[in-house]
Amino acid sequence: MALIVQKYGGTSVGSPERIKNVVRRVAKYNALGHQIIVVVSAMSGETNRLIGLAKEMQAQPDPRELDMVVSTGEQVTVGLVSMGLMQEGLKAKSYTGAQVKIITDSAFTKARILSIDEQNIRADLANGYVVVVAGFQGIDKEGNITTLGRGGSDTTGVAIAAALHADECQIYTDVDGVYTTDPRVVPEARRLKTITFEEMLEMASLGSKVLQIRAVEFAGKYKVKLRVLSSFEEEGDGTLITFEEDEKMEQAIISGIAFNRDEAKITVRGVPDKPGIAYQILGPISEANVDVDMIIQNVGVDGSTDFSFTVHRNEFDKAMDILKNQVQNHIGARNVVGDNKTAKVSVVGVGMRSHVGIASKMFRTLAEEGINIQMISTSEIKISVVIDEKYLELAVRVLHKAFDLDLDQEPA
Ligand code: ASP
Ligand code: MG
């Protein structure tokens, strides 16, 4: 007998029919003798609808009140799922985040979970109930309803699995697992049977939207066994997110190609090569709450150098404005230039730790297609390049092939 958390996304509970599918799967696991906690999102489209209503009342909805409104989406689905389970003859009980006592900080619309009271859930499970918990929401210490950010039900699922030391957290979604890259760009992309937690973290932060990044962080911190599966298929093992140390098999060197179209590049030219300059450039940028991704500073020549970094495309104008009006003259830079038609492509794999030549293979592959690399950044398990947006798809395709990701790598 195992304790399993099953998290279902919005499309998986998008209609009464689909909720009945969920119910059937839960009943099947229950019949095998497992204890099940179900965590659900709002029905698909519902959170957007609620945000739309809020915006009709207030152009910038008050964050506390917005959480009050959007948290109702999940409250509907937990009740419906419980009813469905009862209709199948199971014992079931629904909880909102507040009823469980999922305590969060008070950062409305992007709250972080601080603690989970597992007492009631444990007692219900012991009494044979399937427990159905609303994703995406919690309550702060003052009793205000909070939400965890878009896609936050993933994080609820993982956090509950961590709090109750569940044997597995299964994330049911509309894709059947994590792929080597986006199949819409590379039809040959394969589902990965396993991916390490660190690779998943890189993939999620680099734009693969299968899991909320906070959920992956949580899983890593508490060593939650996490699996991504399709809720529309009866069979299939999905993708298991593993921890390197329990990996017995030889890992593929590269697990995937991630990409992000929303990158914009900014260069401050001719800045004096002296202490404090990076801070004087990036200080005002971070004060304006603009996230900076890659950062490169050139080797200085004759006392001056160039300083480049990337930001999200939506924040390009804001960042350019700050640099031109507040920074350029202040630090005595020659000029500020930018390009918001860039994209980032990354190869990700823990195998990079033990294999040399990955970077040169990546650069050669791009060179053979005449794709110019504008910026490079690396971590222990990732190499990212910034390129002209118009070559993005080509770059992803040729890299996917060059690293043999279209070949089945499972041992025979
Ligand atoms: N319903 C919320 C959203 O649409 C949370 C979730 O689905 O995970 O973002
Ligand atoms: Mg989701």
Side-chain angles (χ1 to χ4, degrees):
M1 187 188 76
L3 171 56
I4 300 171
V5 174
Q6 297 189 334
K7 182 265 167 178
Y8 291 92
T11 46
S12 311
V13 292
S15 66
E17 252 344 287
R18 288 188 172 176
I19 293 178
K20 287 176 190 171
N21 272 333
V22 168
V23 164
R24 275 192 285 276
R25 182 177 293 100
V26 174
K28 196 176 85 187
Y29 274 85
N30 184 72
L32 294 169
H34 300 309
Q35 293 184 323
I36 323 270
I37 303 166
V38 183
V39 174
V40 283
S41 293
M43 295 167 89
S44 55
E46 182 62 8
T47 306
N48 287 340
R49 188 184 75 86
L50 293 167
I51 292 172
L53 284 176
K55 286 189 173 157
E56 284 188 43
M57 301 309 296
Q58 238 184 340
Q60 300 277 351
D62 176 81
R64 180 188 183 277
E65 304 310 323
L66 183 60
D67 279 356
M68 182 66 93
V69 172
V70 296
S71 63
T72 61
E74 274 73 9
Q75 187 170 340
V76 171
T77 41
V78 285
L80 294 177
V81 170
S82 284
M83 292 174 196
L85 289 165
M86 290 175 186
Q87 191 68 25
E88 283 287 307
L90 279 77
K91 288 166 82 178
K93 198 163 166 185
S94 65
Y95 285 90
T96 65
Q99 286 176 321
V100 173
K101 294 195 193 78
I102 297 177
I103 307 294
T104 71
D105 62 20
S106 303
F108 296 110
T109 76
K110 47 175 191 289
R112 280 181 186 271
I113 295 177
L114 302 175
S115 66
I116 292 179
D117 180 350
E118 81 273 38
Q119 296 305 320
N120 291 332
I121 298 181
R122 278 212 196 282
D124 289 340
L125 291 172
N127 287 321
Y129 283 90
V130 174
V131 178
V132 188
V133 177
F136 179 53
Q137 55 180 268
I139 190 168
D140 73 4
K141 285 184 181 127
E142 282 73 52
N144 300 299
I145 290 175
T146 56
T147 66
L148 309 179
R150 298 308 304 267
S153 298
D154 291 343
T155 301
T156 306
V158 177
I160 296 237
L164 282 109
H165 306 287
D167 295 288
E168 187 163 304
C169 180
Q170 303 174 340
I171 306 275
Y172 287 92
T173 175
D174 47 6
V175 293
D176 65 351
V178 180
Y179 275 68
T180 48
T181 195
D182 187 337
R184 284 169 300 190
V185 173
V186 184
E188 294 78 23
R190 287 178 309 109
R191 176 175 59 82
L192 294 161
K193 295 203 168 128
T194 64
I195 184 169
T196 69
F197 146 74
E198 284 165 294
E199 290 168 328
M200 192 62 227
L201 199 57
E202 290 283 9
M203 296 289 271
S205 65
L206 292 167
S208 151
K209 304 231 160 33
V210 191
L211 282 173
Q212 199 201 31
I213 184 157
R214 275 195 196 167
V216 183
E217 286 167 359
F218 227 104
K221 189 161 168 200
Y222 295 99
K223 294 276 155 78
V224 175
K225 190 171 162 199
L226 197 60
R227 192 185 289 278
V228 177
L229 305 128
S230 165
S231 67
F232 302 115
E233 287 170 15
E234 280 305 316
E235 305 295 321
D237 296 329
T239 300
L240 180 67
I241 292 144
T242 59
F243 297 93
E244 245 179 296
E245 51 273 27
D246 23 88
E247 222 18 63
K248 310 264 180 310
M249 277 183 299
E250 175 78 29
Q251 276 286 330
I253 299 171
I254 299 301
S255 288
I257 314 286
F259 57 87
N260 183 355
R261 289 174 207 280
D262 307 321
E263 210 86 1
K265 183 185 71 167
I266 297 176
T267 300
V268 188
R269 287 235 183 88
V271 303
D273 189 10
K274 64 177 193 205
I277 285 297
Y279 172 64
Q280 281 175 297
I281 294 172
L282 293 181
I285 297 288
S286 82
E287 266 160 46
N289 261 322
V290 174
D291 276 336
V292 171
D293 183 15
M294 281 189 207
I295 303 172
I296 291 182
Q297 187 189 307
N298 255 335
V299 178
V301 179
D302 298 331
S304 97
T305 185
D306 293 342
F307 189 95
S308 299
F309 60 96
T310 62
V311 297
H312 192 281
R313 196 172 290 178
N314 292 344
E315 303 191 304
F316 176 72
D317 291 338
K318 188 168 159 189
M320 285 295 280
D321 227 50
I322 293 170
L323 292 173
K324 283 189 167 149
N325 298 324
Q326 298 174 31
V327 176
Q328 181 178 334
N329 290 339
H330 183 65
I331 64 172
R334 181 153 23 98
N335 62 2
V336 181
V337 290
D339 181 354
N340 64 356
K341 297 266 178 313
T342 56
K344 181 168 71 174
V345 183
S346 311
V347 299
V348 176
V350 291
M352 266 182 229
R353 289 199 179 113
S354 46
H355 287 81
V356 293
I358 305 297
S360 68
K361 183 168 184 174
M362 179 182 193
F363 302 156
R364 171 162 38 95
T365 305
L366 296 173
E368 279 166 2
E369 299 297 329
I371 300 171
N372 187 39
I373 299 171
Q374 305 181 9
M375 292 172 88
I376 301 170
S377 88
T378 63
S379 78
E380 232 189 330
I381 63 162
K382 168 203 82 179
I383 304 163
S384 300
V385 296
V386 170
I387 60 172
D388 188 325
E389 184 194 17
K390 67 173 182 268
Y391 297 121
L392 174 62
E393 262 119 5
L394 175 64
V396 173
R397 275 202 306 276
V398 294
L399 290 170
H400 195 269
K401 190 151 178 51
F403 287 103
D404 291 333
L405 291 173
D406 42 357
L407 306 179
D408 196 356
Q409 293 174 337
E410 298 301 324

